[in-house]
């Protein structure tokens, strides 16, 4: 069965960077886009960007361009999101999700990133 | 891209129906037949309930239905049950950037 398993919770200081991983299994990793979505405490879902695992192509939401980087390692079926220059506003649960033709049918369990001094 | 507009809350008694709207623009909801809806219970990841405006993934009860008219999509939950109490988000493909709705909390009275 399709599974997306994310790395564990992180606590970071302001100004630092964080990298969250998303390991895919149960399907051909390179056949589907991976999206990253975050959710601040008590807030809605915010789309961050996507990566095309077969060629590494990316698109970012305008808000995150220059501060967020998406990557993948096809040898281990894993996608990554890295957020730099963290501030308290980046405290959120970060989700990866598999896209199937315009919608996300499988989601990771989420990774809580807490930014605190 | 601006978030799609949803009402903050909706409610109904068990057995009743509730409809949630999702208003976008001619560049997203109005342009593409790629509107999807997600259910999210507290502390859980979103779950796909409707895709391509009207389609239900296997395992989703037929009490959930979707529609679209112009720049507004809608999710209807018929025969409300206690387990339907959750947050619901719409999403629209918008030419590769994606956009989510602001979210609606559904309360079963």
């Amino acid at each position: 069965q399709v599974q997306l398993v994310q790395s564990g919770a992180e606590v970071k200081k302001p100004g630092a960077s964080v990298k969250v991983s998303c390991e895919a299994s149960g399907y051909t990793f390179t056949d589907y886009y991976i999206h990253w979505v975050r959710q601040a405490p008590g807030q809605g879902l915010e789309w961050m960007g996507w990566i095309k695992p077969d060629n590494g192509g990316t698109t970012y939401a305008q808000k995150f361009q220059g501060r967020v980087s998406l990557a993948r390692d096809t040898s281990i079926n894993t996608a990554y999101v890295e957020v730099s220059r963290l501030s308290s506003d980046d405290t959120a649960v970060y989700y990866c999700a598999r896209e199937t033709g315009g919608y996300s049918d499988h989601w990771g369990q989420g990774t809580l990133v807490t930014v605190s001094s | 891209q601006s978030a799609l507009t949803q009402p903050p809350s909706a409610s109904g008694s068990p057995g009743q129906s509730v409809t949630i709207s999702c208003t976008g623009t001619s560049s997203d909801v109005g342009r593409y037949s790629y509107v999807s809806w997600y259910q999210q219970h507290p502390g859980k990841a979103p779950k796909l309930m409707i895709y391509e405006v009207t389609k239900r993934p296997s395992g989703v009860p037929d009490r959930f239905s979707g529609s679209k008219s112009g720049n507004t999509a809608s999710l209807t939950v018929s025969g409300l049950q206690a387990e339907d109490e959750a947050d619901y988000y719409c999403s629209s493909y918008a030419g590769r950037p994606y956009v989510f709705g602001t979210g609606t909390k559904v309360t079963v009275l």
Side-chain angles (χ1 to χ4, degrees):
Chain A
Q1 74 282 22
V2 174
Q3 280 194 301
L4 298 173
V5 178
Q6 299 183 221
S7 49
E10 302 264 11
V11 179
K12 296 291 183 180
K13 293 194 182 302
S17 297
V18 68
K19 192 171 187 178
V20 176
S21 67
C22 170
E23 182 179 359
S25 62
Y27 72 99
T28 301
F29 179 62
T30 50
D31 282 352
Y32 297 84
Y33 288 75
I34 292 288
H35 291 245
W36 288 91
V37 177
R38 77 177 187 180
Q39 186 172 37
Q43 302 301 307
L45 301 175
E46 183 175 32
W47 181 77
M48 301 177 69
W50 56 253
I51 185 166
K52 197 168 182 287
D54 61 349
N55 63 11
T58 54
T59 290
Y60 299 92
Q62 202 166 8
K63 171 179 179 177
F64 297 107
Q65 284 185 2
R67 203 168 65 87
V68 168
S69 179
L70 302 184
R72 93 292 189 221
D73 185 339
T74 57
S75 69
I76 55 172
N77 295 341
T78 299
Y80 303 91
V81 61
E82 184 169 22
V83 185
S84 61
R85 305 191 301 279
L86 288 166
S87 73
S88 58
D89 290 342
D90 295 312
T91 293
V93 177
Y94 289 74
Y95 293 101
C96 61
R98 185 185 85 160
E99 181 205 318
T100 304
Y103 57 92
S104 293
D105 60 348
H106 288 89
W107 294 66
Q109 83 276 21
T111 296
L112 175 62
V113 175
T114 302
V115 183
S116 174
S117 55
Chain B
Q1 311 87 11
S2 299
L4 307 176
T5 301
Q6 298 181 233
S9 63
S11 62
S13 299
Q16 290 186 330
S17 295
V18 65
T19 296
I20 305 166
S21 61
C22 168
T23 301
T25 69
S26 58
S27 297
D28 40 58
V29 175
R31 183 169 183 178
Y32 301 100
S33 294
Y34 290 111
V35 176
S36 49
W37 289 89
Y38 302 88
Q39 177 192 66
Q40 187 181 35
H41 288 111
K44 301 294 187 182
K47 174 187 174 183
L48 179 68
M49 304 302 283
I50 295 287
Y51 66 98
E52 293 177 8
V53 180
T54 62
K55 299 178 181 178
R56 273 189 317 276
S58 61
V60 172
D62 60 6
R63 302 183 291 104
F64 291 86
S65 62
S67 63
K68 189 183 86 163
S69 177
N71 297 338
T72 299
S74 298
L75 173 72
T76 297
V77 186
S78 306
L80 267 175
Q81 298 185 5
E83 61 262 34
D84 300 332
E85 184 161 297
D87 293 325
Y88 291 83
Y89 295 91
C90 61
S91 178
S92 177
Y93 176 89
R96 265 312 156 192
Y98 278 73
V99 60
F100 283 101
T102 48
T104 299
K105 181 175 181 57
V106 170
T107 302
V108 181
L109 301 172

